[in-house]
Amino acid sequence: MKELNMLAFDFGASSGRGLLGRFNGTRLEIEEIHRFSNDPVDIAGHTYWDILRLYWEMQQGLIKFATSKQGEIASIGIDTWGVDFGLLDRDGNLIGNPYHYRDKRTDGMMDEAFRIVPRDEIYRQTGIQFMWYNTLFQLLSMRINNSPQLQSTATLLFMPDLFNYFLTGTKSTEYSIASTSQLMNPVSGTWAYELMDRLGIPTGIFTDITKSGTIIGNLNPDIATELRVNRAQVVSVASHDTASAVAAVPASGEDYIYISSGTWSLLGVELSKP
């Protein structure tokens, strides 16, 4: 078969990289083609992600592949850290820089949430660890403080979905990144709409949840022309970085445990359902 060139962009909480995977039908070779730092920015007492620079870094990875003259790109996949998101207005424009998960606006929000919905009930509907920076508490903070950004929002996209949108114009939410939000029901695989309603979080800003591995579109023609690459397929991979790491564990069968070490370490097993 013809050799496939697959580009992966892995955005961590402190650095990112672009990887080229070459697959000839039997063997996969991986080469790092671009690496960059991911530096939060503090402005007026809040902490943000420098989202446009991160997008620029992804473009640099595409340019480096183009100049290497290794043929066409078969697919592009992106994974990032969890919980954080960008907000789009009704025209599809980004409303400000996304907040960093360690921004102080979520201080006290767990207690606020538990006053409205009991802790056990939130866990029953979402099934993940309580962390003060989960998407639930970020959005609750914006709702309680009457955030003008939230009031102007038409669509919420998590970080990998936001990068996919920048590349293709398609708005979608991948399953594994949605599962980090504490706003998704892992049993039904859908948003926890009842919980959102009780907390006053607008449900209309969320897109449908798509399965990992869904082809969401092709590279925007203007971007392809500017960067001198072909209109490759953009795939909504297991876009939470831990999900991609676990998917790549070199083990077969079901009798194994993984340890994934990044900003912190996670130990667990891979199951067919929660």
Side-chain angles (χ1 to χ4, degrees), residues 45-47 99-115 131-134 136-142 144-145:
H46 288 285
T47 305
Y99 283 89
H100 192 287
Y101 61 86
R102 294 195 182 277
D103 182 72
K104 65 182 182 180
R105 66 187 178 146
T106 54
D107 291 353
M109 285 301 113
M110 290 180 67
D111 290 336
E112 290 290 338
F114 301 152
R115 275 194 277 271
M131 301 294 286
W132 71 94
Y133 48 66
N134 286 351
L136 182 157
F137 305 114
Q138 294 194 43
L139 289 173
L140 181 62
S141 172
M142 297 181 81
I144 288 175
N145 291 291

Side-chain angles (χ1 to χ4, degrees), residues 125 173-176 178-179 183-193 207-211 274:
Q125 291 199 42
T173 304
E174 184 271 330
Y175 177 87
S176 71
S179 74
L183 291 169
M184 192 194 86
N185 186 313
V187 177
S188 66
T190 59
W191 296 114
Y193 290 118
T207 76
D208 291 339
I209 298 174
T210 60
K211 292 182 178 180

Side-chain angles (χ1 to χ4, degrees), residues 9-21:
F9 290 95
D10 173 36
F11 290 88
S14 59
S15 66
R17 56 184 178 164
L19 300 167
L20 169 61

Side-chain angles (χ1 to χ4, degrees), residues 63-98:
I63 290 171
K64 286 182 178 180
F65 173 82
T67 56
S68 71
K69 300 187 184 301
Q70 298 187 60
E72 292 192 341
I73 304 169
S75 62
I76 299 170
I78 300 166
D79 73 64
T80 78
W81 66 96
V83 310
D84 288 335
F85 53 87
L87 302 174
L88 305 178
D89 65 18
R90 64 182 182 181
D91 295 323
N93 298 313
L94 184 64
I95 306 174
N97 280 309

Side-chain angles (χ1 to χ4, degrees), residues 3-261:
E3 188 170 75
L4 297 178
N5 293 313
M6 299 165 289
L7 286 183
F9 290 95
D10 173 36
F11 290 88
S14 59
S15 66
R17 56 184 178 164
L19 300 167
L20 169 61
R22 288 184 294 267
F23 183 62
N24 64 8
T26 57
R27 181 179 175 82
L28 174 65
E29 295 181 348
I30 300 175
E31 173 190 355
E32 182 180 293
I33 60 172
H34 186 52
R35 181 174 283 273
F36 49 92
S37 65
N38 183 3
D39 307 295
V41 180
D42 293 321
I43 302 175
H46 288 285
T47 305
Y48 303 90
W49 295 108
D50 193 354
I51 187 69
L52 298 184
R53 186 181 74 83
L54 295 178
Y55 175 62
W56 181 86
E57 294 286 4
M58 186 162 54
Q59 289 181 312
Q60 302 316 297
L62 290 167
I63 290 171
K64 286 182 178 180
F65 173 82
T67 56
S68 71
K69 300 187 184 301
Q70 298 187 60
E72 292 192 341
I73 304 169
S75 62
I76 299 170
I78 300 166
D79 73 64
T80 78
W81 66 96
V83 310
D84 288 335
F85 53 87
L87 302 174
L88 305 178
D89 65 18
R90 64 182 182 181
D91 295 323
N93 298 313
L94 184 64
I95 306 174
N97 280 309
Y99 283 89
H100 192 287
Y101 61 86
R102 294 195 182 277
D103 182 72
K104 65 182 182 180
R105 66 187 178 146
T106 54
D107 291 353
M109 285 301 113
M110 290 180 67
D111 290 336
E112 290 290 338
F114 301 152
R115 275 194 277 271
I116 303 169
V117 182
R119 182 188 184 102
D120 289 350
E121 177 62 18
I122 295 176
Y123 186 80
R124 186 187 68 79
Q125 291 199 42
T126 61
I128 70 167
Q129 180 183 12
F130 285 96
M131 301 294 286
W132 71 94
Y133 48 66
N134 286 351
T135 314
L136 182 157
F137 305 114
Q138 294 194 43
L139 289 173
L140 181 62
S141 172
M142 297 181 81
R143 197 272 294 169
I144 288 175
N145 291 291
N146 296 313
S147 165
Q149 287 191 359
L150 187 59
Q151 294 169 12
S152 300
T153 296
T155 308
L156 178 149
L157 294 177
F158 295 94
M159 302 306 287
D161 304 316
L162 183 62
F163 287 125
N164 287 338
Y165 169 69
F166 288 163
L167 293 180
T168 67
T170 299
K171 302 169 187 174
S172 64
T173 304
E174 184 271 330
Y175 177 87
S176 71
I177 200 70
S179 74
T180 70
S181 65
Q182 205 155 34
L183 291 169
M184 192 194 86
N185 186 313
V187 177
S188 66
T190 59
W191 296 114
Y193 290 118
E194 177 190 351
L195 176 62
M196 291 191 215
D197 285 336
R198 291 172 67 181
L199 293 172
I201 295 172
T203 58
I205 63 177
F206 293 89
T207 76
D208 291 339
I209 298 174
T210 60
K211 292 182 178 180
S212 307
T214 300
I215 298 170
I216 62 169
N218 291 83
L219 199 62
N220 180 289
D222 292 338
I223 296 174
T225 299
E226 178 186 356
L227 304 182
R228 298 183 180 181
V229 295
N230 61 293
R231 295 193 62 202
Q233 290 182 330
V234 178
V235 181
S236 188
V237 299
S239 57
H240 182 220
D241 51 10
T242 303
S244 273
V246 173
V249 169
S252 60
E254 299 179 354
D255 189 18
Y256 70 92
I257 293 173
Y258 70 83
I259 299 176
S260 175
S261 294

